[in-house]
Amino acid sequence: MEFLNTFLFMLGEMSPYILLGFLVAGLLHAFVPAGLMSRHLSGTGPSSVIKGALIGVPLPLCSCGVLPTAVALHRQGASRASSSAFLIATPQTGVDSIAATWSMLGPAFALIRPVAALITSVAGGLIVGRTEKSETASEVKACMVCADEVQPRTFAQKCREAIVYGFHTMVGSIGKWLVIGLVGATLITMFVPENFLASLGAHPLLAMLAMVVIAVPMYVCATGSIPIALSLILKGLSPGAAFVLLMAGPAANFASIAVISRAMGRRAAAAYLGSIVVGAIAFGLLIDYLLPRSWFVAAGTSVHAACHHAMPLFDAICSALLVALLAAAFIPRFFKRSPKQNLSAMTTIYKIKGMSCGHCKASVEKNLSRLPGVESVTVDLSEGTAAVEGEHSREDALRLIEEIGFEPAGVL
């Protein structure tokens, strides 16, 4: 019963802000022109790097979802410097996670988080820019995602697209990690002894290094990391060490580092990881040693008492709506037929590594559907496959999958 009370409290606190973030994400997707970003990201100087970081900060993309987007930007003409800045900034935060951070950790965390993402991404992008060689026009490939002109849409069509993207695609993208974060935070709150992290709390730098070791191999989205950080603070971890988890957990994992190294080079991958780790620790030390501790404890101190109180009506409605959206996004996957069933003789199934969210799915489907002879493409994220119907070149399909940032693992 205590598990349920704690879980529902965290869900009620976050759900209104998460729903707001999904709505804003949909509006950004539907109303911001697709080619707008790459037109401003072609240089290697501070201007293009700052633009890449500023574009990335509000976008609610996880570290897996941002990879195809960044690779597409680079192939569309964006420099490695600006693409790296975009890569570093985007998964650390977003409109959904900023709102949820405010609700659970307070305004100080919510304001510092995007500032830290902006500064670390600009620094990482400038490091890449200093070593980046000029690329000739022939070396810059046009990304097939944006090769065609977007068909004109009415205001009503854009609104519908915003709702579908925000409340379906986005829910499918980060929903699993959000639930994992909430369950993990609830388990930490219930079962980790109160004094377990007290020793680490007395040594913030050691705690931050421990958080880096935990966060880099871990995969969690920017929103899903919030309840985990809150639970760790309640158990005695310093706010600065918890902030390291908030930055490094969503932004860095082994899969993203491998893809970045292959698509943009080892220097870009090293700058990506180094700027995240160094920036996270630097801001963690700033929080623990230079900023008032009272800024970072107000949100957490009331959780234990509040989780036993009745949930306000508005929070309950938002929680029920969020649960319904999660159910609508994930329940159909359990009843989906195997991609090998009911296939025509002209269908080829490709095994693809690195697809983890709705953005990955959309990128693969859009690109493969433009190959000559392809009639339809169906991606199954749970199976890691793409079923391509129609006569087409398998070599071209495998090469295209790799070009857009994924790893082709053969034909089934």
Side-chain angles (χ1 to χ4, degrees):
M1 191 65 179
E2 184 180 354
F3 176 90
L4 183 61
N5 286 334
T6 305
F7 181 85
L8 290 177
F9 169 77
M10 292 186 175
L11 178 65
E13 286 289 297
M14 293 183 67
S15 56
Y17 297 91
I18 293 173
L19 293 174
L20 175 62
F22 285 154
L23 175 60
V24 175
L27 294 174
L28 286 172
H29 173 79
F31 288 92
V32 176
L36 179 63
M37 293 189 289
S38 61
R39 289 199 296 267
H40 295 277
L41 303 179
S42 58
T44 60
S47 177
S48 63
V49 170
I50 293 173
K51 287 179 181 178
L54 287 173
I55 290 172
V57 166
L59 293 182
L61 294 178
C62 58
S63 59
C64 71
V66 72
L67 291 175
T69 305
V71 172
L73 288 174
H74 180 54
R75 298 188 187 282
Q76 196 177 349
S79 65
R80 284 191 177 93
S82 57
S83 299
S84 297
F86 178 85
L87 265 172
I88 296 167
T90 305
Q92 292 187 54
T93 186
V95 289
D96 57 333
S97 62
I98 293 173
T101 302
W102 189 297
S103 71
M104 296 202 73
L105 296 174
F109 269 115
L111 294 175
I112 294 175
R113 197 174 187 185
V115 171
L118 177 63
I119 293 176
T120 55
S121 60
V122 170
L126 290 176
I127 292 172
V128 174
R130 290 179 64 87
T131 59
E132 181 177 7
K133 296 180 179 179
S134 299
E135 295 177 312
T136 62
S138 61
E139 292 175 318
V140 179
K141 301 178 182 179
C143 174
M144 297 183 70
V145 173
C146 304
D148 297 336
E149 290 295 327
V150 177
Q151 295 296 323
R153 295 163 296 164
T154 64
F155 179 79
Q157 289 174 325
K158 290 182 179 180
C159 290
R160 181 183 182 277
E161 181 181 349
I163 293 173
V164 171
Y165 182 85
F167 295 109
H168 179 71
T169 303
M170 277 299 302
V171 173
S173 297
I174 73 169
K176 179 175 70 174
W177 306 109
L178 174 61
V179 173
I180 290 174
L182 285 169
V183 172
T186 304
L187 293 174
I188 291 172
T189 301
M190 288 185 59
F191 297 112
V192 175
E194 293 291 340
N195 59 352
F196 180 75
L197 295 172
S199 58
L200 282 180
H203 302 87
L205 181 58
L206 179 62
M208 292 173 197
L209 293 175
M211 287 298 103
V212 169
V213 173
I214 294 171
V216 170
M218 180 178 66
Y219 184 95
V220 63
C221 73
T223 303
S225 65
I226 298 168
I228 298 177
L230 174 59
S231 298
L232 291 173
I233 292 174
L234 293 173
K235 294 300 179 179
L237 196 69
S238 71
F243 189 80
V244 172
L245 176 68
L246 286 175
M247 288 186 65
N253 61 72
F254 290 149
S256 62
I257 294 169
V259 172
I260 294 167
S261 180
R262 185 179 71 245
M264 300 178 62
R266 287 178 292 180
R267 289 178 178 176
Y272 171 83
L273 180 59
S275 60
I276 291 170
V277 172
V278 174
I281 293 177
F283 273 91
L285 293 173
L286 172 69
I287 289 172
D288 280 346
Y289 288 103
L290 297 181
L291 297 180
R293 188 64 175 260
S294 60
W295 289 6
F296 303 96
V297 298
T301 52
S302 62
V303 171
H304 283 305
C307 66
H308 296 285
H309 293 168
M311 185 183 298
L313 178 61
F314 179 72
D315 291 352
I317 293 173
C318 291
S319 297
L321 178 57
L322 180 58
V323 170
L325 291 172
L326 289 168
F330 291 105
I331 288 179
R333 298 184 184 182
F334 293 99
F335 300 96
K336 187 181 295 183
R337 292 183 176 182
S338 170
K340 294 183 180 180
Q341 294 179 344
N342 299 329
L343 294 179
S344 70
M346 302 305 299
T347 300
T348 304
I349 300 178
Y350 296 92
K351 187 70 176 178
I352 304 174
K353 294 182 179 180
M355 299 189 302
S356 303
C357 67
H359 304 284
C360 306
K361 179 177 184 293
S363 178
V364 172
E365 288 180 342
K366 282 185 178 180
N367 281 278
L368 289 179
S369 66
R370 290 185 171 93
L371 286 174
V374 172
E375 299 176 6
S376 66
V377 180
T378 303
V379 169
D380 189 324
L381 288 176
S382 61
E383 297 287 338
T385 59
V388 181
E389 185 175 356
E391 294 187 13
H392 65 282
S393 168
R394 291 186 176 184
E395 291 76 13
D396 289 346
L398 292 171
R399 183 171 57 252
L400 178 58
I401 291 169
E402 186 172 5
E403 286 180 352
I404 61 176
F406 300 101
E407 181 180 350
V411 179
L412 300 180

